[in-house]
Amino acid sequence: MAKTKSAPPAEAAGSEPILRRHAEQEFAEELTVLREHDTRAKPPNWALSPWAVKLYIVGGKLDNGFVVTPKYIGNDRLMEIAIATLATDRALLLYGLPGTAKSWVSEHLAAAICGDSTLLIQGTAGIDESAVRYGWNYARLLAEGPSVDAMVASPMMRAMQLGKIARVEELTRIASEVQDSLITILSEKALPVPELNMEVQARKGFSVIATANNRDKGVNELSSALMRRFNTVVLPVPEKFEDEVDIVERRISQLSRALELPAEKPALEEIRRVVTVFRELRDGVTLDGKTKLKSPSGTLSTAEAISVMAGGLSMAAYYGDGVLRASDMAASMSGAIVKDPVQDVIVWNEYLQTVAKERDGWKDLYRACREVL
Amino acid sequence: MGVHVFGIRHHGPGCSRSLVAALDKLAPDVVLVEGPPDAAAVLDLVAHADLQPPVAILIYPTNDPQRGVFYPFAEFSPEWQALRYAQQHGIPVRFMDLAQRHRMAMEQTRLEKLIQQAAAEQAPACEPNGMDDAPGEAKQLPSAGDAPDGTEPSLYDDPLGMLAVAAGYQDHELWWEHQIEQRQDPSGLFEGILEAMTTLRQTCAERSEYTPHPYEAEREASMRQIIRQAEKDKFERIAVVCGAWHAPALVERGPAAADAATLRNLPKEKVEATWIPWTYSRLSYRSGYGAGVRSPGWYEHLWREPVAAPTRWIATAARLLRGEDLDASSASVIEAVRLSTALAALRDLPLAGLTELNEAMLSVLCGGDAMPLTLVRERLEIGNRLGSVPESAASVPLQKDLEAQQQSLRLKPSTEIKPLDLDLRREIDLARSRLLHRLNLLGIGWGAAQESRGKAGTFHEIWSLQWQVEFAVNIIEAAVWGNTVERAAGAAVASRAAGLTDLPALTGLLEQVLLADLPPAVGQILDRLQAIAAVSADVRLLAGALPPLARVARYSDVRKTDAVQLLPVIAGFFERITVGLSAACTSLDADAAGEMAQAIDQVQQSLDLLDWAEYRDQWQATLVRLLDNDAVHPLVRGLACRQLLEAGQLADQTLLGRARLELSAVAPPEQATAWLQGVLRGSGMLLLHRDTLWQALDAWLVELADDAFVAALPMVRRAFADFSGPERRAMGDKVKQLSASKTSRLDSPSQPVVSDQHIDRARANLVLPVLAQLLGVSISTGDQHG
């Protein structure tokens, strides 16, 4: 991270250098320009119209030539569903594997719709109702008795009062009884405060974006009552092979610079092989669509493909000849694939025997992987 | 009043509705429909109560039914509505397309020419004379035989695609749906279509890359001539219903002489027409009316529910999901409708279409899970409606093909039960067997195969034949699959195979298909087998599927099946079994272990049958790994021992060692007996001939404590229960001699112990020559030994 220590970007001059800025700060210019050129109807309390929000998310060009960078690369229609959901004041649940840009999309949607992505509840097993509803400032509560001033509003409550978007990260990690307190908020759009004999009613524009991943074990399954109050959008892993190769390649060259590995940039061919293996195992079918395969228990996300490549690179740099070879990757690749010591070994073995063995130019990979198994 | 041309899209419900409204307004005295005039004779049946869409007009050359063409009609097809309108109002209706009797003959000539050309091109390398042909036509050549009809390539069926692209749509269907089908106000629709098409045709004519449809000139000439004929017949208000593309050509009719010239001297062949029942799933096939419909069920819904179609669609889908025990509350229905409306608004559409509805249902009703949506796709979007035709409809080509085969094979249908004995070495009997098997695959159970008894098995097949009257209906139903028995059976099997997911069912089907001799279907089933095997985690199923495959691969000769394509599949199965076997054999209870033992037996049988050295070694290595694995059920370990022993891969000493370990006093008696059961596998021969095993068993029994012995006894008995009488007797004898020969046994373990004392040498010598002759050895000069 040595490089980020250099002078902060011009527009942030004067403020403290921050490691990561919020979406609405980072893309303030785009949001401003979009707002200026937005002529279509806005739902109440929205900063932008749904069309402008979509443009902000998927990227594009304004009539005056201003280029909006794409925030989400993938299926535009999914983003349309997400935006339409929020426009109908329904809550949105972004569901998907780890590493499919759920939180990223949620942050940008909130930034574009209400200009504020900070009304955030980070879901953990440890949070209690006060994180979703409200808590008390106990010193004041003791001194003055129950009053509005002694109340500590949660981000959810503030979003309701302001008519903004509240974000809930990792919804499935929150204990079920705390999840349940969301039900009233989502259906009645109101939050009763019995201690003060009052309630907070949401202003127009209020909605909730929750994210959850559907792969983790030991999470709190959403009750069907809660599920019913969300529109669910499943974010998929990269659809196109070339997209995924592209993502891995970019990320790897950044990484190897950051880690200052004395190894050569990996050949595109190696990246393609790793991505091929991951995609085939993940999809349960070979890329040519001819052979079906079993899928291992792990996710095999793009992020893992990146770490396999990074592991291979450092092996090549420190213990190899500086050039990434199949043998450098074999161990980390097997490690990424074999998460369950019994079933996954079978899957991986079958893959090697029935697919890798026969493939032209894959002999080295096949042998290296057989060795580490 | 003159001629009114209505350009429509085939099977467009929006078009249908507008057309009915327009016809009501016009009140024509004759309706001309784009369709084959050859079918004029069967048009009367439209009025018949039993003719329920979806149905299709089938037109086929009398002498070659295989080249039949289908013209499907659904309730929402504009053509069907036009026919119904004419029939309800008692006005004449005529088909006006180029008659198929010409078209089929022309197509045949063209194909023959192309085949000649292709042959000519292949012989001398790259003669450029083929370059003048449209690439689309050249590509069609290999598939010409497969396509049920042989119509135009799809690009030309969809000239509207150009308009859709111009409007910024990638999906042509979607564009048409948004622009035409979802139109709320039908007035001016046909004028609009006509105008658009006129412009489009002009542009196309100017562009050099556009190649007109094959026979387009002839078809339109024919349509114009028939319109002129109607005018000549003094009809006053003529309604013309045709594909949108043809509309401009029918409005500007030009001089009659040119059309007459085009239609002069066309080749001709005899064709026949009939109605056959159709299904929605087959409506999506390309056929006589060009491109199929992707979502017939949705179109029917649009046709039947003009008001609030999206809401009703989601409500129907919710009912379907509820029927399948999936959550779909009314509140969710409301939210799904809201979301679909919002999506339509975001996409600037007047009304939510199928895409929006699906996306909304996925998001709200299904919680992002696409599986329930496939149910909606299959049951609602496509739908399973099956049409019906009156019995008076003429017979289908399949029927004719069957009759022809019955005649040539001298098999007369009779309602009596008749036995039939086929000797497959005779050509005619082989063909008969094939026919019967194929009919069975089509669900026409004319013959039932009987167990063949007595006569040497593989060449003989015993059948019992009985024709039933209902078969006529079955044949009509089966006719959707193809026009000959062979082709129909192939297509039916392929479709059935695509729906099967369990291995034994697939291999069973494969065996039937091999019997019916349908090579293309074999390939499809093999692909399917491989796909299923890849995801199947159950070694037992894989093993169960192996023996039939191995049998076919080994004994393919009688029916001359091509076994080569089976081999890679079998190899794949072996690979998967050897990889998964040890994991599959661990932590089993007694029942599961029994099944697993059977599976191992099956693999062993198949291997023995195929005799592949490479896989045998691999298999034996896998079995050896089982021996030492304590987590493996003892029954399976015992069986592995047995298999290795039979393969000569287990030395006597190793066996003794293993037996001592397995039967040691520490091992619980039930495990020891299970192991014993595995080794013996119901046959005492091993015990009789392997003294090491005998001794180990003996030692184990002796060492058992009294109460343990009592406990183990029933299980030991069970292990011995399947032994045959002679085996038991031999064992009894052996036990008797046990004490006497115990000492000598270890020196020569496998020699039978015979004592010299009771032999009368003189008498024994008498039998020696005969014995020698039987064994084919010569005796050494009268010298004898014991």
Side-chain angles (χ1 to χ4, degrees):
Chain A
M1 290 293 118
K3 284 187 182 162
T4 48
K5 274 187 195 162
S6 60
E11 60 267 30
S15 61
E16 281 288 302
I18 296 165
L19 190 57
R20 183 184 181 281
R21 298 190 299 161
H22 295 302
E24 60 271 23
Q25 297 165 337
E26 188 75 37
F27 298 97
E29 191 195 354
E30 288 186 8
L31 288 170
T32 320
V33 176
L34 277 169
R35 200 170 305 138
E36 283 162 8
H37 288 81
D38 192 5
T39 52
R40 306 192 67 159
K42 295 172 193 166
N45 253 335
W46 278 38
L48 296 174
S49 69
W51 294 271
V53 174
K54 182 192 162 193
L55 188 61
Y56 171 77
I57 302 283
V58 303
K61 217 174 191 182
L62 289 182
D63 291 340
N64 63 356
F66 182 81
V67 177
V68 182
T69 54
K71 315 296 177 302
Y72 179 77
I73 303 170
N75 189 352
D76 289 2
R77 307 191 76 92
L78 289 179
M79 293 302 116
E80 287 175 359
I81 299 173
I83 298 164
T85 294
L86 295 169
T88 54
D89 74 32
R90 283 271 285 181
L92 171 68
L93 175 62
L94 297 171
Y95 212 43
L97 299 175
T100 42
K102 296 182 297 290
S103 306
W104 176 256
V105 167
S106 131
E107 180 184 357
H108 283 278
L109 278 173
I113 290 172
C114 61
D116 187 355
S117 65
T118 60
L119 294 168
L120 171 70
I121 299 169
Q122 177 62 50
T124 69
I127 68 169
D128 62 7
E129 270 195 350
S130 64
V132 179
R133 304 176 75 210
Y134 51 88
W136 295 100
N137 177 342
Y138 285 99
R140 258 188 125 146
L141 189 64
L142 291 175
E144 301 168 8
S147 71
V148 176
D149 293 335
M151 205 163 70
V152 181
S154 69
M156 184 67 71
M157 196 167 180
R158 270 187 288 136
M160 293 174 77
Q161 288 164 335
L162 298 170
K164 290 190 168 181
I165 304 272
R167 296 167 54 209
V168 182
E169 290 284 298
E170 302 289 1
L171 179 61
T172 47
R173 296 192 184 217
I174 301 177
S176 305
E177 57 269 28
V178 183
Q179 285 179 12
D180 288 346
S181 58
L182 279 172
I183 294 179
T184 336
I185 298 175
L186 293 180
S187 53
E188 311 278 320
K189 314 281 183 201
L191 184 56
V193 186
E195 293 91 336
L196 302 177
N197 195 18
M198 60 170 267
E199 65 170 4
V200 175
Q201 281 182 298
R203 291 183 57 198
K204 285 192 170 176
F206 164 74
S207 194
V208 175
I209 306 178
T211 63
N213 91 55
N214 54 3
R215 196 43 102 86
D216 273 356
K217 287 176 182 148
V219 292
N220 304 303
E221 198 70 41
L222 297 185
S223 68
S224 53
L226 185 56
M227 198 69 183
R228 200 172 67 63
R229 284 164 174 82
F230 281 107
N231 285 3
T232 313
V233 172
V234 176
L235 295 182
V237 286
E239 196 178 346
K240 293 198 198 90
F241 177 71
E242 292 304 332
D243 281 357
E244 196 168 358
V245 170
D246 189 41
I247 294 172
V248 175
E249 194 187 6
R250 279 162 200 271
R251 193 78 190 103
I252 279 298
S253 45
Q254 286 170 359
L255 265 179
S256 55
R257 245 181 291 128
L259 301 175
E260 292 168 25
L261 289 174
E264 277 179 44
K265 190 168 160 262
L268 189 59
E269 208 34 57
E270 290 299 335
I271 297 181
R272 297 180 71 95
R273 282 214 294 206
V274 172
V275 172
T276 305
V277 171
F278 273 50
R279 284 182 78 89
E280 291 186 332
L281 284 172
R282 194 167 62 205
D283 300 343
V285 63
T286 51
L287 289 185
D288 58 14
K290 284 189 183 144
T291 315
K292 272 214 160 189
L293 302 164
K294 293 194 190 87
S295 289
S297 57
T299 330
L300 297 184
S301 68
T302 316
E304 280 169 287
I306 293 169
S307 72
V308 166
M309 291 302 299
L313 268 186
S314 46
M315 283 287 282
Y318 299 126
Y319 304 109
D321 55 3
V323 179
L324 183 66
R325 299 190 194 288
S327 52
D328 300 320
M329 294 188 303
S332 53
M333 191 135 106
S334 299
I337 292 163
V338 179
K339 293 286 194 269
D340 176 319
V342 181
Q343 290 307 321
D344 289 349
V345 171
I346 298 178
V347 172
W348 180 220
N349 234 327
E350 258 193 37
Y351 179 84
L352 289 174
Q353 291 289 4
T354 53
V355 179
K357 194 177 170 187
E358 311 296 334
R359 206 165 264 171
D360 283 343
W362 278 42
K363 272 273 177 290
D364 53 337
L365 188 71
Y366 170 73
R367 281 202 206 97
C369 291
R370 292 285 297 174
E371 258 170 43
V372 297
L373 259 185
Chain B
M1 296 265 288
V3 178
H4 300 264
V5 177
F6 300 104
I8 48 109
R9 186 175 71 149
H10 307 300
H11 308 309
C15 276
S16 284
R17 194 166 298 123
S18 305
L19 179 68
V20 171
L23 287 178
D24 277 336
K25 198 170 151 211
L26 176 66
D29 50 9
V30 66
V31 178
L32 304 183
V33 178
E34 179 189 337
D38 322 68
V42 298
L43 269 183
D44 295 343
L45 286 174
V46 174
H48 201 293
D50 285 347
L51 190 71
Q52 291 294 334
V55 287
I57 292 181
L58 165 63
I59 298 189
Y60 56 96
T62 315
N63 53 9
D64 185 9
Q66 196 44 58
R67 287 189 286 126
V69 180
F70 301 103
Y71 287 82
F73 296 90
E75 192 189 350
F76 51 79
S77 310
E79 292 89 344
W80 177 256
Q81 288 304 326
L83 295 180
R84 295 288 291 188
Y85 178 89
Q87 172 255 320
Q88 278 163 6
H89 291 78
I91 57 171
V93 57
R94 294 178 184 176
F95 278 145
M96 60 170 184
D97 206 343
L98 177 64
Q100 282 290 354
R101 59 179 170 271
H102 298 306
R103 207 164 150 185
M104 283 176 171
M106 286 158 76
E107 181 73 15
Q108 192 63 11
T109 337
R110 189 176 71 101
L111 279 181
E112 276 161 16
K113 212 165 75 191
L114 274 175
I115 289 167
Q116 277 170 8
Q117 231 169 50
E121 266 172 45
Q122 272 173 359
C126 58
E127 275 285 312
N129 64 348
M131 304 301 279
D132 300 352
D133 282 312
E137 293 188 351
K139 243 186 271 160
Q140 206 194 354
L141 181 60
S143 67
D146 301 344
D149 43 54
T151 42
E152 311 87 326
S154 67
L155 179 69
Y156 305 123
D157 286 330
D158 196 16
L160 303 167
M162 295 176 74
L163 290 179
V165 171
Y169 280 79
Q170 288 183 335
D171 187 338
H172 309 166
E173 296 241 351
L174 202 63
W175 175 79
W176 182 269
E177 186 155 331
H178 289 163
Q179 293 302 315
I180 312 290
E181 304 294 348
Q182 290 188 356
R183 183 168 288 264
Q184 304 292 303
D185 170 22
S187 65
L189 173 67
F190 293 108
E191 288 80 356
I193 291 179
L194 182 63
E195 195 176 318
M197 289 300 133
T198 313
T199 318
L200 193 61
R201 284 182 70 124
Q202 272 167 6
T203 319
C204 284
E206 285 160 16
R207 287 214 192 159
S208 53
E209 74 259 39
Y210 171 74
T211 326
H213 294 220
Y215 322 123
E216 186 169 288
E218 290 89 349
R219 289 180 62 195
E220 288 178 352
S222 160
M223 295 184 202
R224 284 190 290 264
Q225 284 295 69
I226 288 172
I227 295 174
R228 290 190 189 102
Q229 182 62 43
E231 285 176 319
K232 223 181 278 174
D233 292 346
K234 303 274 188 278
F235 286 113
E236 285 180 350
R237 293 178 306 279
I238 303 171
V240 175
V241 179
C242 63
W245 175 251
H246 302 298
L250 304 188
V251 172
E252 299 297 330
R253 284 187 292 281
D259 287 341
T262 312
L263 295 175
R264 201 168 295 142
N265 294 333
L266 289 181
K268 203 166 148 172
E269 66 181 313
K270 200 165 179 311
V271 298
E272 291 186 35
T274 182
W275 288 101
I276 61 166
W278 208 245
T279 63
Y280 271 175
S281 57
R282 283 183 65 87
L283 250 189
S284 48
Y285 288 26
R286 280 173 39 73
S287 198
Y289 267 140
V293 190
R294 231 179 327 175
S295 312
W298 164 244
Y299 279 3
E300 184 191 303
H301 177 81
L302 282 181
W303 169 251
R304 297 205 165 172
E305 313 280 358
V307 182
T311 312
R312 285 165 180 272
W313 180 256
I314 292 186
T316 318
R319 295 181 76 88
L320 171 73
L321 294 178
R322 266 175 236 151
E324 298 289 325
D325 281 341
L326 295 163
D327 285 344
S329 65
S330 310
S332 301
V333 172
I334 296 171
E335 291 304 337
V337 173
R338 283 184 68 204
L339 179 58
S340 68
T341 320
L343 270 175
L346 185 59
R347 289 170 187 165
D348 300 323
L349 303 174
L351 203 62
L354 192 54
T355 329
E356 283 74 36
L357 292 174
N358 274 341
E359 284 167 355
M361 285 195 282
L362 175 68
S363 196
V364 182
L365 280 176
C366 313
D369 180 5
M371 279 310 286
L373 216 53
T374 54
L375 195 73
V376 175
R377 162 86 189 143
E378 274 168 28
R379 302 266 187 87
L380 289 186
E381 258 187 78
I382 297 178
N384 44 12
R385 189 175 288 270
L386 171 71
S388 69
V389 297
E391 276 177 28
S392 52
S395 65
V396 289
L398 182 65
Q399 168 93 43
K400 299 209 161 164
D401 179 63
L402 179 58
E403 280 164 12
Q405 290 200 43
Q406 282 167 341
Q407 204 154 28
S408 69
L409 297 176
R410 298 200 295 280
L411 277 177
K412 252 189 144 171
S414 146
T415 46
E416 278 172 67
I417 300 181
K418 276 190 187 165
L420 180 68
D421 183 351
L422 300 179
D423 180 346
L424 298 182
R425 286 166 297 190
R426 290 170 56 203
E427 203 56 48
I428 183 166
D429 279 359
L430 187 58
R432 283 171 174 169
S433 156
R434 255 187 233 141
L435 177 66
L436 291 173
H437 279 296
R438 283 174 189 168
L439 287 177
N440 274 336
L441 284 172
L442 281 173
I444 303 171
W446 183 18
Q450 309 287 307
E451 287 278 321
S452 73
R453 264 182 242 102
K455 287 182 181 143
T458 54
F459 295 133
H460 278 276
E461 263 184 3
I462 316 279
W463 291 84
S464 143
L465 299 189
Q466 185 188 21
W467 188 262
Q468 283 160 7
V469 266
E470 304 93 89
F471 288 162
V473 184
N474 295 1
I475 291 171
I476 291 180
E477 275 170 11
V480 296
W481 297 113
N483 287 340
T484 65
V485 175
E486 178 179 2
R487 202 162 278 197
V493 163
S495 122
R496 201 188 316 164
L500 282 178
T501 49
D502 69 321
L503 285 172
L506 268 173
T507 39
L509 189 62
L510 179 66
E511 270 194 300
Q512 285 183 37
V513 169
L514 286 168
L515 290 173
D517 190 23
L518 299 165
V522 171
Q524 273 159 325
I525 296 182
L526 286 180
D527 288 349
R528 185 85 190 132
L529 263 179
Q530 258 172 328
I532 302 283
V535 288
S536 160
D538 197 335
V539 170
R540 275 173 301 172
L541 287 183
L542 284 173
L546 211 44
L549 291 178
R551 266 203 302 280
V552 173
R554 187 80 175 131
Y555 300 119
S556 55
D557 43 4
V558 186
R559 291 178 179 276
K560 309 173 183 109
T561 25
D562 185 12
V564 179
Q565 46 180 343
L566 277 178
L567 299 181
V569 180
I570 298 178
F573 274 41
F574 268 128
E575 293 275 13
R576 290 184 207 288
I577 291 172
T578 44
V579 167
L581 189 69
S582 24
C585 288
T586 53
S587 321
L588 297 178
D589 65 5
D591 291 343
E595 287 172 28
M596 187 53 74
Q598 202 188 344
I600 291 176
D601 270 344
Q602 283 166 327
V603 178
Q604 184 70 45
Q605 276 170 21
S606 317
L607 267 178
D608 292 346
L609 211 56
L610 292 169
D611 201 26
W612 284 351
E614 183 195 346
Y615 286 110
R616 202 172 48 224
D617 294 348
Q618 206 176 326
W619 173 243
Q620 280 161 1
T622 315
L623 287 180
V624 169
R625 276 202 299 278
L626 287 185
L627 289 184
D628 289 320
N629 191 342
D630 277 344
V632 171
H633 194 276
L635 180 71
V636 176
R637 283 204 302 256
L639 181 66
C641 247
R642 168 66 177 259
Q643 304 286 20
L644 290 169
L645 209 56
E646 283 183 2
Q649 293 295 311
L650 208 59
D652 272 345
Q653 282 311 309
T654 328
L655 177 65
L656 186 60
R658 284 242 63 86
R660 280 189 179 140
L661 277 179
E662 297 284 359
L663 300 177
S664 71
V666 217
E670 68 269 14
Q671 287 204 9
T673 41
W675 182 83
L676 208 53
Q677 249 181 320
V679 175
L680 298 176
R681 286 307 269 167
S683 155
M685 295 312 280
L686 191 70
L687 207 50
L688 283 172
H689 292 294
R690 293 279 176 163
D691 279 329
T692 40
L693 191 60
W694 179 270
Q695 283 163 24
L697 183 59
D698 180 40
W700 174 62
L701 278 174
V702 168
E703 280 167 25
L704 274 183
D706 282 354
D707 48 348
F709 176 76
V710 172
L713 203 53
M715 285 175 280
V716 179
R717 223 186 110 72
R718 198 168 65 199
F720 287 11
D722 298 332
F723 293 179
S724 64
E727 282 172 354
R728 290 186 201 204
R729 205 171 316 121
M731 253 177 242
D733 290 345
K734 198 161 177 170
V735 173
K736 255 191 265 171
Q737 294 165 0
L738 197 62
S739 49
S741 51
K742 207 168 187 175
T743 42
S744 70
R745 192 151 307 155
L746 274 178
D747 310 329
S748 52
S750 59
Q751 290 265 319
V753 184
V754 183
S755 141
D756 266 6
Q757 288 154 14
H758 312 296
I759 293 180
D760 183 337
R761 279 167 188 276
R763 293 190 69 178
N765 280 342
L766 289 177
V767 296
L768 280 180
V770 183
L771 198 57
Q773 206 176 348
L774 283 174
L775 296 172
V777 296
S778 59
I779 336 167
S780 52
T781 60
D783 193 6
Q784 337 77 5
H785 55 86

